[in-house]
């Protein structure tokens, strides 16, 4: 132990004797370790930290799937059957979300309400901080209307008043009793919700009593101790097979889909996080290579010292240990400074992160796990960049220690080869990162240029309540929407206005259809994205009409429902035919079949680069649907789409006034330019690519600095040789060519290796970012390689020019 302490003291003295080298090494490592710690804090918060629930590994998510739709919400009646018949879950609970208007105290506002079964909170292992959980009798259609407030809503609307329990809140026109307040650290799977109500309180509504309807409910299951996910999946699959036999038309070919909750929460950004983590590790390796070069150069200057120490009896391990301790101290100093940079970096990442990077697992923070990672990185990096110099310096020939030898000549060979290999590695890694960043940027540009299928410019989207009261009939609700539409149309500067129950990039709705003449069996059912719209919606969105007509004033209540389909559905089911006048079997029209009156272009529903749940789309005039179908969908938020002559944001207050003129208790919400939704759909991609580009630029700078340092030191060590060449008549241009050729040989080797690595990397990126990265595109290689070559040329040319200013007489006397 005393020997170790002595080694540490000696190492500190040696580092202090070379402050310039030490500071450069520390700051280089601090930069690399800082970005590594920052990104790892995000990885920890999003992927690694346990879910904030009791025994999270026992939790699964349950959805439903069909052959042509991968994931769907679970009908409420199916949930009741799964809950009653399963044998593998200690709890199977329902949760979902819907929008409702809060009136009474304060201004009316639209809030998102989380629906939960009475046993949801106990299943998660959480409880209200104030008050109580829902009672079983409240989780029923005729039970007392009880509501629990999220902590943020309680603090904002009620000023954190503990006397709020027992008060009533008017939600959707009905009075609900406040029975609890959730703790501030409660993290729901639906983080934007502000209130919680029992899901059973809505069980008498049409959509909850229809086994074929899907009112945005999904299930959480807590598996019994010892039960594996495969067993739970088989259990629910068996129940699904039974439901298909009992309810062939309603349940059909639906089946339960069991997913690990932990994996599901991490899945949306797993690819992006893996890519960012790989990029900062590359930056760390480049920084380590730079520091290794510094330590090698320092070790070369200490050859005499090492030889004398060996001559006095120090063994090779003793010399290696001394040099490794110095390297580890440099790494620890760099980690300490890097940790300070990471504290700032984490705040920056958290402030700019998109919603997908937000965390059910908690905020991005430098916690114990992150500190442990930083320490491990520091120790690993210290060993990584310290081992090669230590091994090189510990190989001693004792004879030169007894005479005054040319240490530059003796040190040159192996040490310079090691340093050259490190530079080649730096260039290769930098090229890979740069090609990856350029490929991602090109992919983003390509995706941004994708036609969404409509014209979002000068388009304002806002949402209004689905009905002025929960008991309003569909006719009354539609009268409210039409009054709002009429009021908005009267605003000067409005070009057109329409409304829809679903909107591209915002919300979706899936309905089923069958080809005419096909037997109405689950096997023949197909799903289509469905829009229930007003006349004028297609014109306002500027969705191109390819055949037939759109909806007009004559497509109103009391007329037979007609259908407009998109080009994908037309091509699939009416190839080589005119779809207009053809018929399809559907569910919403209430008819044996419905006539197709128009064909329009396909729109991007889920994002410019997002996969579609189904390739087909259909449009109904909401007013034409029978009341039973209208009641099925009336609780969906209605989206008002308005096209203006000028900038949409300038009209927001006028649109808001138009809504309140129709009903003062109905607020306008989720209002903004439609371009904002398109921009938001790429926010996660843009955030990831921006960080990747920053890290690639940092890698380029570090690689250039490393190459410059190596060439500068090479010139310094070859002072005698270059002086001799010039004394013998070598021209300055020849000396420049000699040095540049040596440096560019290293750059060329690095580019060749990096190009091979970049091929593999872009293929991996195309998997992580599907639809964005084209692994066969040569443009990133052609764009990046010349840039790196030019940077390498500059990094070698400057030391080469310095070599031409060597005085031959001074060089001949140089030791």
């Amino acid at each position: 132990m005393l020997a170790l302490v002595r080694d540490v003291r000696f190492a500190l003295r040696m580092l202090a004797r070379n402050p310039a080298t030490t500071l450069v090494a520390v700051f280089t490592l601090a930069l690399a370790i800082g970005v590594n710690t920052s990104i790892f804090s995000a990885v920890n918060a999003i992927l690694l930290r346990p879910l904030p629930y009791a025994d999270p590994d026992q939790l699964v998510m349950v959805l439903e799937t069909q052959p042509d739709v991968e994931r769907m919400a679970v009908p409420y009646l199916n949930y009741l059957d799964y809950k009653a018949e399963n044998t593998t879950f200690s709890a199977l609970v329902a949760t979902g979300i819907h929008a409702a208007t809060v009136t009474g105290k304060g201004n009316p506002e639209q809030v998102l309400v989380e629906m939960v079964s009475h046993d949801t909170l106990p299943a998660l292992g959480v409880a209200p901080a104030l008050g109580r959980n829902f009672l079983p009798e409240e989780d029923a259609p005729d039970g007392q209307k009880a509501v629990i407030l999220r902590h943020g809503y309680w603090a904002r609307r009620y000023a954190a008043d503990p006397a709020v329990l027992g008060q009533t809140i008017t939600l959707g026109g009905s009075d609900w009793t406040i029975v609890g307040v959730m703790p501030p650290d409660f993290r729901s799977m639906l983080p934007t919700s502000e209130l919680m109500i029992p899901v059973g309180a809505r069980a008498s509504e049409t959509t909850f009593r229809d086994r074929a309807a899907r009112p945005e409910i999904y299930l959480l299951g807590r598996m019994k101790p010892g039960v594996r996910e495969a067993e739970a999946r088989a259990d629910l699959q068996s129940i699904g097979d039974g439901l298909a036999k009992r309810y062939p038309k309603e349940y059909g070919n639906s089946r339960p889909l069991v997913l690990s909750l932990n994996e599901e929460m991490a899945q949306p950004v797993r690819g992006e996080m893996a890519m960012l983590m790989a990029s900062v590790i590359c930056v760390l390796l480049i920084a380590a290579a730079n520091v290794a070069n510094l330590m090698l150069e320092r070790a070369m200057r200490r050859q005499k010292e090492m030889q004398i120490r060996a001559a006095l009896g120090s063994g090779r391990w003793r010399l290696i240990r001394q040099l490794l301790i110095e390297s580890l101290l440099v790494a620890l100093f760099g980690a300490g400074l890097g940790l300070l940079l990471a504290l700032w970096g984490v705040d920056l990442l958290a402030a700019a992160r998109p919603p997908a990077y937000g965390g059910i697992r908690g905020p991005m923070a430098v916690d114990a796990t992150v500190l442990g990672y930083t320490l491990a990185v520091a120790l690993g990096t210290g060993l990584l960049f310290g081992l090669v110099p230590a091994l090189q310096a510990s190989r001693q020939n004792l004879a030169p220690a007894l005479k005054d030898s040319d240490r530059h000549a003796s040190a040159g060979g192996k040490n310079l080869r090691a340093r050259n290999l490190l530079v080649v590695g730096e260039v290769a890694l930098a090229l890979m990162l740069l090609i990856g960043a350029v490929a991602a940027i090109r992919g983003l540009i390509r995706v941004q240029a994708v036609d969404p299928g409509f014209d979002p410019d000068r388009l304002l989207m806002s949402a209004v309540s689905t009905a002025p009261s929960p008991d309003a009939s569909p006719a009354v609700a539609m009268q409210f929407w039409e009054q709002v539409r009429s009021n908005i149309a009267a605003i000067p500067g409005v070009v057109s206005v329409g409304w829809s129950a679903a909107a591209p990039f915002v919300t979706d709705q899936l309905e089923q259809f069958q080809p005419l003449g096909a037997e109405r069996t689950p096997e023949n059912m197909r799903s289509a994205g469905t829009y229930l719209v007003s006349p004028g919606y297609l014109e306002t969105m500027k969705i191109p009409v390819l055949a037939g007509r759109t909806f007009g004033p004559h497509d109103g209540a009391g007329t037979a429902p007609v259908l407009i389909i998109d080009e994908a559905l037309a091509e699939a089911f009416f190839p080589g035919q005119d779809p207009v006048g053809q018929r399809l079997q559907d569910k919403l029209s209430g008819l044996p079949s419905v006539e197709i009156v128009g064909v329009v272009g396909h729109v991007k529903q889920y994002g410019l680069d997002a996969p579609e749940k189904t390739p087909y789309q259909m449009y109904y005039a909401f007013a034409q649907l029978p009341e039973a179908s209208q009641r099925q969908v009336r609780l969906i938020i209605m989206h008002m789409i308005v096209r203006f002559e000028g900038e949409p944001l300038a009209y927001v207050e006028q649109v808001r006034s138009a809504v309140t003129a129709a009903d003062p208790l109905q607020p306008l919400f989720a209002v903004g330019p439609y371009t904002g939704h398109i921009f938001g759909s790429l926010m996660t991609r843009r955030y990831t690519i921006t960080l990747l580009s920053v890290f690639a630029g940092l890698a380029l700078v570090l690689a250039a600095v490393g190459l410059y340092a190596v060439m500068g030191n090479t010139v310094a060590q070859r002072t005698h040789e270059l002086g001799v060449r010039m004394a013998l008549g070598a021209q300055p241009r020849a000396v420049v060519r000699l040095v540049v050729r040596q440096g560019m040989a290293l750059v060329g080797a690095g580019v060749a290796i990096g190009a091979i690595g970049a091929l593999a990397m872009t293929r991996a990126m195309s998997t992580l970012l599907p639809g964005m990265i084209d692994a066969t595109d040569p443009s990133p290689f052609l764009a990046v390689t010349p840039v790196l070559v030019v940077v390498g040329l500059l990094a070698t040319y400057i030391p080469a020019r310095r070599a031409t200013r060597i005085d031959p007489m001074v060089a001949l006397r140089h030791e």
Side-chain angles (χ1 to χ4, degrees), residues 600-685:
V600 297
H602 184 84
V603 300
K604 292 287 186 179
Q605 172 61 43
Y606 301 98
L608 295 176
D609 66 333
E612 302 280 343
K613 291 183 180 179
T614 171
Y616 313 125
Q617 294 169 351
M618 306 186 301
Y619 297 81
Y620 290 89
F622 185 87
Q624 289 185 319
L625 295 180
E627 184 173 338
S629 296
Q630 290 176 339
R631 287 189 178 276
Q632 275 192 18
V633 298
R634 73 180 183 88
L635 292 172
I636 299 175
I637 292 172
M638 282 298 167
H639 304 278
M640 287 288 165
I641 314 296
V642 192
R643 185 171 295 280
F644 294 95
E645 293 176 351
E647 172 58 41
L649 283 177
Y651 297 86
V652 170
E653 290 308 315
Q654 295 179 66
V655 173
R656 195 181 306 277
S657 298
V659 175
T660 55
D663 186 342
L665 298 181
Q666 297 302 320
L668 184 73
F669 62 101
V671 59
Y674 219 117
T675 51
H677 294 285
I678 297 177
F679 182 87
S681 71
L682 294 173
M683 191 178 295
T684 300
R685 295 280 198 253

Side-chain angles (χ1 to χ4, degrees), residues 11 94 171 262 269 415 451 512 524 586 608 615 692 731 756 812:
L171 184 64
N262 184 61
V269 294
N415 285 342
D451 182 8
Q512 294 181 324
N524 290 330
D586 70 328
L608 295 176
L692 181 61
Q731 296 298 313
I756 296 172
L812 291 174

Side-chain angles (χ1 to χ4, degrees), residues 245-552:
K245 293 178 181 178
R246 301 203 306 263
Y247 309 103
K249 291 184 63 176
E250 297 87 349
Y251 191 85
N253 55 4
S254 300
R255 287 299 183 274
L257 178 66
V258 178
L259 304 164
S260 165
L261 183 61
N262 184 61
E263 293 295 318
E264 192 63 15
M265 291 295 100
Q267 187 272 336
V269 294
R270 186 181 296 279
E272 283 89 344
M273 297 310 301
M275 194 164 59
L276 288 177
M277 201 67 215
S279 68
V280 293
I281 289 174
C282 286
V283 171
L284 180 65
L285 291 175
I286 294 174
N290 270 350
V291 176
N293 270 324
L294 286 174
M295 302 304 285
L296 268 171
E297 194 273 334
R298 186 165 170 269
M300 291 167 66
R301 294 200 306 267
R302 296 175 63 186
Q303 283 290 302
K304 198 79 168 180
E305 172 200 337
M306 294 295 109
Q307 291 167 348
I308 293 173
R309 288 167 67 96
L312 294 176
S314 293
R316 190 179 185 194
W317 164 242
R318 183 72 177 77
L319 298 177
I320 290 175
R321 188 180 74 181
Q322 179 63 56
L323 293 173
L324 283 180
I325 288 175
E326 294 179 24
S327 299
L328 289 173
L329 286 175
V330 170
L332 290 174
F333 291 147
L337 183 56
L339 199 57
L340 295 177
L341 294 176
L343 293 174
W344 172 76
V346 167
D347 290 340
L348 188 63
L349 289 176
R353 69 181 178 184
Y357 279 79
I360 187 175
R361 302 170 196 267
M364 295 182 189
V366 179
D367 57 14
T369 302
V370 176
L371 287 174
Y373 171 81
T374 304
L375 179 60
V377 166
L379 296 176
T381 306
L383 291 173
L384 180 66
F385 73 72
L387 191 59
V388 172
L391 290 174
Q392 294 280 22
S394 64
R395 292 195 184 103
Q396 297 302 331
N397 181 4
L398 298 184
L402 304 178
K403 62 183 180 178
D404 187 19
S405 62
D406 185 353
R407 66 177 180 267
H408 294 297
S410 63
K414 293 182 178 178
N415 285 342
L416 288 178
R417 281 196 296 273
R419 299 180 70 188
N420 290 343
L421 288 175
L422 289 172
V423 170
V424 169
E426 290 183 62
V427 172
L429 289 171
L431 182 72
M432 290 171 58
L433 276 183
L434 285 166
I435 288 176
V438 171
I441 292 171
R442 282 183 56 82
L444 181 62
I445 294 172
R446 187 165 51 247
V447 169
Q448 288 175 328
V450 169
D451 182 8
F454 61 95
D455 182 6
D457 291 336
R458 299 186 178 182
L459 208 60
L460 185 79
M461 198 219 72
S462 60
V464 297
S465 174
T466 52
S469 71
D471 300 323
S473 66
V476 171
M478 189 162 52
Q479 183 179 3
F480 166 64
W481 306 327
E482 282 299 307
Q483 182 62 56
V484 171
R485 184 166 77 102
S486 176
N487 292 349
I488 293 175
I491 298 173
V494 170
V495 176
S496 60
V497 58
W499 49 258
S500 174
F505 295 84
V506 184
T507 58
D508 70 333
Q509 180 175 338
L510 299 179
E511 296 293 340
Q512 294 181 324
F513 70 94
Q514 293 170 306
L516 185 65
E519 185 181 357
R520 288 183 180 263
T521 62
E523 291 72 23
N524 290 330
M525 289 182 179
R526 299 292 182 270
S527 294
T530 304
Y531 304 89
L532 312 176
V533 304
S534 71
Y537 169 81
L538 291 166
E539 291 81 357
T540 301
M541 294 286 286
K542 290 191 177 181
I543 298 173
V545 179
L546 306 180
R549 66 175 179 88
T550 62
F551 299 121

Side-chain angles (χ1 to χ4, degrees), residues 162-174:
V164 72
L165 298 180
Q167 296 183 24
T168 59
I169 180 173
T170 304
L171 184 64
S174 299

